[in-house]
């Protein structure tokens, strides 16, 4: 089981000084975080895609290109690329180019996104939410299979044999499907034989076991080999010297993020009790000291029938850069070795 970090490149206010970290400084901090993840041996670093004022990740390929030039070993990828609102031709070209720069270290994780701002921004209808993704995923996979593509659909002009360049170093370029909790999404990934990245942002991870089994069963029935049916998890988490320190460090920013989202979506405001419960042994947050986090990672993997990779999403608008660097260091030097030994 490989471990990594995902970032949504949140705008940050330093919790100790009140200093508002500007976009330029935040980008420099982000690249330092990715470089550190590479040095401490983490397997992957993913960049999300959002089109909101509180995040700086609207152009992931640009960030990943800078990261590729400053790292040598770590795999880099999207977390996730909002394929529904993009042109699959451009997405493939961008990530194929990244793969050449990174010498074969790129993963493309595609999904529909948990926010909807991209749809009106790019002139799309939310009524076409599922159809857009299915059609564009089909085209993306066709492009991956052949440099000359003949294809037609409802949401993009047809291709009549044009070539799509450049081709990536990896053949094929790894394409993962990012999913939430919809059974149809798990089945679709299984039928296509694509690796699955499950975003778990609440509840209990073990509740996803039937959906993961549904994915594996669909893949097997479609004739795909078990080794093709990889499962990854995208989860919220943080590592500190102690479990209490991890929770106290992360909670203020977590509350700020989820209070805003709850207000937008008409949910009840989040509470510390809710946060602590979700951070417990069976909850969705992987929060604590290295031993606690490692033990939980291994246990959850077993509950889901084996997980190939887990990425901790550490975005937080009230997390000091130094604390985030320390969390990444502990994940690589303390958590990952424990997980490897347990396996």
């Amino acid at each position: 089981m490989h471990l990594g970090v995902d970032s949504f490149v949140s705008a940050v206010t330093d919790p100790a000084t009140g200093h508002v970290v500007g976009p330029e400084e935040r980008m420099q901090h982000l690249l330092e975080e990715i470089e550190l993840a590479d040095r401490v041996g983490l397997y992957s670093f993913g960049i999300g895609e959002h089109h909101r004022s509180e995040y700086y990740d609207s152009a992931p390929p640009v960030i990943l290109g800078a990261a590729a030039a400053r790292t040598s070993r770590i795999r880099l990828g999207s977390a996730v690329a909002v394929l529904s609102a993009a042109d699959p031709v451009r997405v493939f070209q961008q990530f194929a180019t990244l793969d050449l720069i990174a010498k074969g270290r790129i993963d493309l994780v595609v999904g529909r996104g948990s926010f909807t701002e991209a749809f009106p921004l790019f002139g799309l209808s939310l009524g076409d939410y599922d159809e857009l993704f299915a059609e564009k995923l089909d085209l993306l996979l066709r492009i991956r299979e052949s440099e000359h593509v003949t294809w037609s659909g409802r949401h993009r002009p047809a291709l009549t044999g044009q070539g799509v360049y450049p081709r990536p170093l990896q053949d094929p370029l790894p394409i993962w499907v990012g999913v939430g909790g919809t059974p149809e999404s798990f089945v679709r990934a299984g039928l296509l034989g694509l690796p699955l990245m499950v975003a778990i942002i609440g509840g209990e991870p073990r509740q996803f076991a039937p959906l993961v089994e549904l994915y594996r069963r669909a893949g097997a029935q479609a004739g795909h080999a078990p080794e093709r049916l990889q499962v990854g998890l995208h989860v919220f988490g943080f590592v500190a010297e102690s479990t209490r320190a991890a929770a106290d460090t992360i909670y203020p920013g977590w509350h700020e993020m989820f209070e805003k989202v709850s207000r937008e979506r008409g949910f009840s405001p989040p509470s510390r009790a809710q946060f602590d419960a979700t951070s417990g042994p069976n909850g969705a947050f992987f929060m604590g000291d290295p031993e606690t986090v490692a033990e939980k990672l291994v246990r959850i993997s077993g509950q889901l029938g084996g997980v190939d990779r887990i990425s901790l999403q550490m975005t937080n608008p009230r997390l000091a850069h130094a604390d985030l660097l320390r969390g990444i260091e502990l994940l690589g030097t303390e958590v990952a070795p424990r997980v490897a030994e347990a396996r």
Side-chain angles (χ1 to χ4, degrees):
M1 180 169 57
H2 300 298
L3 300 185
V5 175
D6 286 342
S7 176
F8 293 166
V9 199
S10 176
V12 173
T13 300
D14 188 284
T17 66
H19 168 65
V20 177
V21 179
E24 180 183 5
E25 185 180 7
R26 181 67 186 94
M27 285 295 177
Q28 293 308 308
H29 286 176
L30 173 67
L31 292 174
E32 290 172 17
E33 292 153 16
I34 299 172
E35 286 182 288
L36 176 61
D38 189 42
R39 288 200 305 273
V40 300
L42 287 170
Y43 183 76
S44 62
F45 203 108
I47 301 294
E49 179 188 341
H50 298 84
H51 302 272
R52 298 169 60 93
S53 61
E54 64 264 39
Y55 300 117
Y56 300 134
D57 62 351
S58 64
V62 178
I63 297 172
L64 293 169
R70 296 172 65 155
T71 56
S72 60
R73 187 206 56 80
I74 196 167
R75 295 194 66 81
L76 302 167
S78 51
V80 299
V82 184
L83 185 62
S84 304
D87 182 346
V89 174
R90 291 300 285 153
V91 170
F92 186 87
Q93 290 175 326
Q94 290 164 346
F95 280 84
T97 303
L98 279 170
D99 199 51
L100 297 175
I101 295 170
K103 300 179 181 179
R105 294 184 285 125
I106 296 297
D107 293 309
L108 173 53
V109 186
V110 297
R112 293 177 290 189
S114 59
F115 292 96
T116 61
E117 287 81 6
F119 287 84
L121 183 63
F122 296 107
L124 302 168
S125 170
L126 275 173
D128 297 324
Y129 184 78
D130 191 64
E131 184 180 344
L132 278 165
F133 182 73
E135 181 177 295
K136 292 185 176 186
L137 179 59
D138 175 63
L139 176 54
L140 182 66
L141 295 176
R142 297 277 195 95
I143 296 169
R144 183 175 73 161
E145 291 170 5
S146 174
E147 64 185 67
H148 292 279
V149 180
T150 299
W151 176 94
S152 63
R154 197 167 77 87
H155 298 282
R156 188 204 186 278
L159 293 174
T160 56
Q162 296 94 327
V164 179
Y165 307 104
R167 308 307 294 181
L169 181 61
Q170 296 178 93
D171 185 18
L173 179 72
I175 296 177
W176 295 61
V177 176
V179 300
T182 306
E184 292 79 9
S185 297
F186 285 78
V187 170
R188 173 165 49 207
L191 292 175
L192 293 171
L194 296 175
L196 186 75
M197 184 62 68
V198 186
I200 301 179
I201 59 175
E204 296 186 357
R206 61 186 176 186
Q207 294 172 331
F208 284 80
L211 291 172
V212 172
E213 176 57 28
L214 186 64
Y215 159 73
R216 290 181 170 131
R217 190 163 62 248
Q221 291 174 351
H224 300 298
E227 57 268 21
R228 287 189 60 181
L229 303 174
Q230 299 180 66
V231 175
L233 304 182
H234 164 95
V235 299
F236 185 77
F238 188 69
V239 190
E241 311 295 343
S242 70
T243 296
R244 180 60 184 266
D248 288 348
T249 300
I250 289 298
Y251 177 72
W254 175 86
H255 184 271
E256 181 178 313
M257 285 191 301
F258 281 87
E259 184 178 43
K260 182 173 184 177
V261 172
S262 297
R263 189 166 57 248
E264 290 176 355
R265 301 183 181 182
F267 300 156
S268 300
S271 67
R272 179 62 190 253
Q274 178 186 355
F275 174 84
D276 288 339
T278 312
S279 302
N282 296 314
F285 299 165
F286 289 71
M287 201 81 58
D289 61 82
E291 184 174 356
T292 298
V293 173
E295 189 275 333
K296 185 171 183 177
L297 288 166
V298 172
R299 185 176 68 256
I300 297 303
S301 175
Q303 291 173 350
L304 298 182
V307 171
D308 297 279
R309 64 170 72 176
I310 299 182
S311 295
L312 270 64
Q313 200 281 99
M314 296 187 180
T315 296
N316 191 297
R318 296 282 172 177
L319 180 60
H321 179 50
D323 289 335
L324 180 49
L325 290 176
R326 182 58 176 156
I328 292 171
E329 181 181 16
L330 288 172
L331 184 63
T333 62
E334 299 287 341
V335 177
R338 285 177 165 86
V339 170
E341 290 174 6
R343 303 289 289 181

